């Protein structure tokens, strides 16, 4: 491309020279011809004609010389100017960071021109211009495909001016990042004839941009992950220009919404909010003063909360900003408020409860009393707080109750020792308070953060308690006498009950045995002589006697329940249930299926006889009321729950109406006719009394025709 341009420039110069020569030839021929003809017409003298010819020749030469001078002078002057400009531009280019370059459009992009300052990158200009080094071979392998595609796209589709950034291998083998500002020159047919470029080394700029991005990323990471909320406010416009994630969370806005808020909108509109104070604080911060203060902020949902604000003016990227760091102290303020309320309550409690408190600083030998303590010990607060020595000597009777121990503890404390925790009963000296008693406490010395040690204690007036204690002691003496009297009466009643039980057992059963014996004799000796109705009478008599025997036995067991001593032992529950089942009559068990869902290792500590009585009566009850089922089924389960053990007896018998669940455990209360389901009505009453004695509880659930469930809960 360079050789074609050079040939074109040479052809243009030849045409211009030929035209000038032709013009000069025509002008010269016309001058000679016309001037000679004119002289021949005007002059007849040959000598004169020769002289004029000479003058004409001199004139022609002079005019020609002047014309030649002008023709040569101006181009030479322009050339000199161009050469000067070229040297000037060359000097500028050599000192400029920009390298000018021109490529051919042939493959490999051979360089047709490049400014000399390309040598600063360690590249040989002559090698590039001579084609020894192809420019495309210098482009980084990771960039070449992108650059080739990009150039082809611009050549085919435009635009003709574009910028590319890629890496170029320098003379020492390192890679240089270049910014290539390229433009294309096209001929009249739109074909690209020249590719021009200005190359700028942007390695440092890209490194700086990368470092800046990294720095910004680190700053943003710190900015967004710091626990405190941060706001950035423009000191001139007073608009918020930055907020971190903690600020978004604190106020409930997203970042864009938060930056659109004013400081007034983020402040609680409550009594005490003063915009003028806010302006004054900002003005102080603008002058460089760092401020820390507490402020009531407003959340997006409208609720107010306390924040601790730290204001400091700073400059970031040339902008003067106010850095606002916020810490939510709502919990602290609530704690402070709660502490203030607690201290107020404590002060009121001291007044109402007659409790005073004191504190002694060992190293400084300073004594502090609460307001209530002054009143308790009758000391005027205007006289100042008494010393520890006076406190130990002048207010309590050192001979009464714990007075000697108090004196010894005070002596140890005065000497700087550790008397240990103390809880003493002291009597006030008569000149301080008449017949006044106090409970005195003292804790072990505690170290403060500053290294000093202090002891705290309380003084509680217990005069009324002391009087009540004396009255209670007198009452206890009287009560002991009454208890002894009532115990003797109760023992007499128990003896009478034992006698009654014996009488019932002996006096009632003896006639029954006679009736039963005579009925047996009557049936055996005269049974064949009795008619059908007589036999029924004999059977009814014997059945009634058996029921009376059973009723008397149950009543005796019921009356003896409370008198029987409880003996606690470890019980293996499953083994006890199996033992109870084995003791039952086979005809009672009948064809019922009894399932035990009890862990063999399950144990409880209780009275074995009481637990056996409960199980026996519940199982007999379940067997009796499910006997008429086609497939009688009884399940005994046990499970632990914390400190209790639950025993459940479930049957598929006739059940009962829950409306009668309160009556089912009452003595002699029956829900079914004795002719159908025989019994005395005492069994479940015995169960409830046994459960109560063992410290448990029992409940029953049932439904007519669907069976019943009895659940007993006993302490383990």
């Amino acid at each position: 491309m360079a050789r074609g341009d050079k040939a074109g420039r040479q052809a243009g110069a030849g045409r211009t020279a030929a035209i000038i020569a032709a013009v000069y030839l025509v002008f010269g021929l016309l001058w000679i011809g016309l001037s000679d003809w004119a002289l021949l017409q005007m002059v007849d003298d040959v000598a004169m004609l020769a002289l004029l010819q000479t003058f004409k020749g001199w004139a022609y030469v002079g005019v020609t010389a002047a014309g030649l001078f002008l023709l040569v002078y101006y181009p030479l002057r322009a050339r000199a100017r161009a050469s000067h400009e070229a040297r000037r531009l060359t000097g500028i280019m050599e000192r400029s960071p920009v390298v000018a370059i021109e490529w051919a459009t042939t493959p490999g992009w051979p360089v047709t021109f490049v400014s000399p300052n390309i040598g600063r990158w360690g590249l040989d200009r002559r090698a590039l211009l001579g084609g020894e080094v192809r420019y495309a071979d210098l482009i980084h392998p990771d960039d070449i495909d992108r650059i080739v595609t990009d150039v082809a796209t611009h050549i085919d589709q435009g635009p003709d001016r574009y910028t590319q950034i890629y890496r170029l291998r320098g003379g020492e083998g390192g890679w240089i990042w270049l910014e290539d500002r390229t433009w294309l020159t096209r001929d009249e047919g739109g074909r690209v004839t020249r590719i021009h470029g200005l190359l700028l080394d942007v390695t440092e700029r890209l490194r700086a941009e990368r470092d800046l991005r990294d720095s910004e990323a680190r700053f943003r990471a710190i900015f967004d992950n710091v626990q405190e909320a941060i706001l950035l406010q423009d000191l001139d416009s007073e608009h918020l220009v930055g907020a971190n994630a903690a600020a978004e969370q604190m106020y409930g806005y997203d970042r864009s919404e938060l930056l659109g808020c004013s400081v007034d909108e983020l402040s609680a509109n409550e009594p005490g909010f003063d915009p003028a104070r806010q302006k004054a604080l900002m003005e102080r911060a603008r002058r460089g003063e760092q401020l820390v203060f507490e402020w009531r902020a407003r959340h997006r949902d409208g609720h107010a909360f306390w924040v601790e604000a730290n204001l400091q003016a700073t400059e970031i990227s040339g902008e003067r900003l106010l850095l606002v760091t916020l810490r939510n102290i709502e919990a602290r303020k609530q704690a402070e408020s709660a502490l203030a309320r607690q201290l107020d309550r404590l002060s009121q409690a001291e007044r109402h409860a007659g409790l005073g408190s004191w504190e002694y600083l060992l190293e400084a030998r300073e004594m502090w009393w609460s307001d209530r303590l002054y009143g308790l010990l009758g000391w005027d607060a205007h006289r100042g707080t008494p010393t520890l020595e006076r406190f130990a000597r002048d207010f309590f009777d050192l001979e009464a109750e714990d007075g000697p121990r108090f004196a010894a503890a005070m002596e140890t404390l005065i000497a700087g020792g550790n008397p240990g925790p103390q809880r003493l009963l002291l009597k006030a000296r008569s000149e301080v308070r008449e017949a006044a008693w106090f409970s005195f406490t003292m804790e072990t010395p505690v170290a403060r953060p500053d290294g000093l040690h202090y002891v705290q204690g309380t003084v509680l007036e217990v005069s009324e308690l002391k009087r009540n204690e004396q009255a209670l002691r007198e009452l206890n003496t009287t009560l002991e006498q009454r208890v002894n009297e009532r115990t003797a009466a109760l023992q007499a009643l128990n003896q009478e009950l034992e006698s009654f039980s014996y009488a019932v057992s002996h006096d009632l059963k003896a006639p029954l045995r006679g009736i039963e014996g005579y009925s047996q004799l009557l049936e055996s000796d005269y049974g064949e002589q009795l008619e059908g109705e007589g036999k029924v009478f004999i059977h009814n008599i014997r059945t009634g006697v058996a029921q009376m025997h059973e009723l008397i036995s149950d009543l005796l067991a019921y009356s003896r329940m409370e008198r029987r001593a409880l003996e606690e032992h470890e019980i293996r529950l499953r083994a006890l249930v199996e033992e109870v089942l084995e003791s039952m009559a086979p005809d009672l068990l009948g064809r019922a299926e009894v399932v035990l869902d009890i862990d063999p290792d399950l144990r409880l500590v209780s009275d074995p006889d009481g637990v056996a009585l409960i199980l026996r009566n519940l199982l007999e009850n379940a067997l009796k009321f499910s006997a008429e089922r086609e497939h009688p089924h009884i399940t005994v389960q046990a499970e632990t729950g914390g400190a209790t053990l639950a025993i459940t007896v479930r049957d598929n018998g006739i059940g009962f109406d829950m409306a009668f669940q309160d009556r089912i455990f009452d003595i002699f209360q029956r829900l079914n006719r004795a002719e159908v389901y025989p019994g005395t009505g005492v069994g479940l009453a015995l169960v409830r009394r046994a459960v109560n004695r063992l410290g448990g509880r029992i409940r029953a659930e049932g439904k007519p025709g669907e069976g019943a469930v009895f659940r007993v809960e006993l302490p383990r």
Side-chain angles (χ1 to χ4, degrees), residues 292-296 305-309 326-341:
V292 179
F293 57 92
E294 294 177 355
W295 194 261
R296 289 285 283 171
F305 57 96
W306 281 102
V307 296
E308 182 183 81
L326 303 170
R327 179 183 291 110
N328 191 325
I329 58 171
E330 181 67 19
R332 191 187 80 191
K333 296 294 286 188
Q334 291 180 359
E336 291 175 353
S337 177
L339 179 60
R341 291 194 301 271

Side-chain angles (χ1 to χ4, degrees), residues 217-378:
R218 287 193 295 270
F219 171 76
R220 175 56 63 182
I222 296 172
F223 187 69
D224 282 338
N225 288 287
V226 71
Q227 297 299 316
E228 286 79 11
I230 299 177
L231 298 175
L232 293 174
Q233 184 183 31
D234 190 302
L235 280 171
D236 297 325
S237 65
E238 297 186 1
H239 292 153
L240 296 177
V241 297
N244 67 347
E248 297 178 47
Q249 184 177 4
M250 176 179 287
Y251 284 100
Y253 294 97
D254 61 37
R255 188 162 302 179
S256 59
E257 293 174 328
L258 190 57
L259 296 183
C261 295
S262 66
V263 176
D264 291 351
E265 292 172 330
L266 299 179
S267 301
N269 188 13
E270 296 180 345
F273 171 67
D274 186 1
R277 176 172 175 255
Q278 172 189 315
K279 298 289 186 184
L281 291 171
M282 287 187 59
E283 187 59 33
R284 290 170 59 187
R286 191 192 304 271
R287 293 196 298 267
E289 186 176 351
Q290 184 174 359
L291 302 175
V292 179
F293 57 92
E294 294 177 355
W295 194 261
R296 289 285 283 171
R298 185 181 68 84
H299 193 270
R300 180 177 186 171
D301 61 14
H303 81 266
F305 57 96
W306 281 102
V307 296
E308 182 183 81
N310 187 316
L311 271 60
Q312 184 175 12
T314 185
E315 186 171 319
I316 301 177
S317 300
E319 293 183 280
R320 294 189 68 246
L321 303 176
L322 183 64
L323 176 64
V324 183
T325 305
L326 303 170
R327 179 183 291 110
N328 191 325
I329 58 171
E330 181 67 19
R332 191 187 80 191
K333 296 294 286 188
Q334 291 180 359
E336 291 175 353
S337 177
L339 179 60
R341 291 194 301 271
Q342 191 67 19
L343 290 175
D344 182 61
R345 293 192 189 106
L346 182 60
S347 178
Q348 294 181 17
E350 283 190 346
R351 290 194 298 272
H352 294 307
L355 177 69
S357 56
W358 59 274
E359 181 177 297
Y360 178 66
L361 191 60
L362 274 70
E363 288 80 3
R365 303 182 66 81
E366 293 178 357
M367 192 74 176
W368 172 86
W369 283 16
S370 68
D371 293 340
R372 182 57 183 162
L373 187 54
Y374 287 100
L376 287 175
L377 299 182

Side-chain angles (χ1 to χ4, degrees), residues 103-104 133 149 158 187 205 286 290 314 361 364 369 387 411 414 427 432 454 470 482 546 640 653 656 699 706:
W103 300 276
V133 177
T149 302
D187 59 16
R205 189 189 78 188
R286 191 192 304 271
Q290 184 174 359
T314 185
L361 191 60
W369 283 16
T387 63
E411 288 180 5
I414 292 171
K427 183 180 181 181
V432 174
Y454 65 93
Q470 181 61 32
R482 291 180 181 177
T640 58
F656 64 90
R699 67 176 185 271
E706 297 184 9

Side-chain angles (χ1 to χ4, degrees), residues 65-78:
L68 289 174
F69 172 78
L70 294 175
L71 288 174
V72 173
Y73 171 73
Y74 286 105
L76 288 177
R77 188 174 69 171

Side-chain angles (χ1 to χ4, degrees), residues 104-241:
T105 56
T106 56
W109 300 329
V111 176
T112 58
F113 171 80
V114 64
S115 58
N117 57 343
I118 197 170
R120 71 180 58 182
W121 297 340
L123 297 176
D124 188 347
R125 181 170 181 260
R126 292 181 180 180
L128 287 169
L129 293 175
E132 300 172 13
V133 177
R134 297 199 318 165
Y135 189 82
D137 295 337
L138 299 176
I139 298 177
H140 196 283
D142 294 343
D143 299 336
I144 185 63
D145 292 340
R146 173 175 56 85
I147 298 301
V148 169
T149 302
D150 200 17
V151 171
T153 300
H154 283 282
I155 290 176
D156 293 341
Q157 304 173 12
D160 291 348
R161 292 183 177 272
Y162 55 93
T163 300
Q164 297 171 309
I165 295 180
Y166 52 87
R167 286 163 288 183
L168 193 74
R169 186 172 61 246
E172 297 180 356
W175 294 100
I176 307 167
W177 280 97
L178 295 182
E179 180 183 83
D180 183 353
R181 296 177 179 269
T182 307
W183 70 95
L184 306 177
T185 300
R186 299 179 184 269
D187 59 16
E188 295 178 355
R191 185 176 63 86
V192 175
T193 58
R194 297 179 184 177
I195 303 177
H196 313 276
L198 295 176
L199 308 180
L200 178 63
D201 183 354
V202 293
T203 304
E204 292 301 324
R205 189 189 78 188
L206 293 180
R207 183 179 293 113
E209 290 176 354
R210 184 190 63 212
D211 292 344
L212 179 60
R213 287 194 300 270
D214 293 345
S215 177
E216 289 178 347
R218 287 193 295 270
F219 171 76
R220 175 56 63 182
I222 296 172
F223 187 69
D224 282 338
N225 288 287
V226 71
Q227 297 299 316
E228 286 79 11
I230 299 177
L231 298 175
L232 293 174
Q233 184 183 31
D234 190 302
L235 280 171
D236 297 325
S237 65
E238 297 186 1
H239 292 153
L240 296 177
V241 297

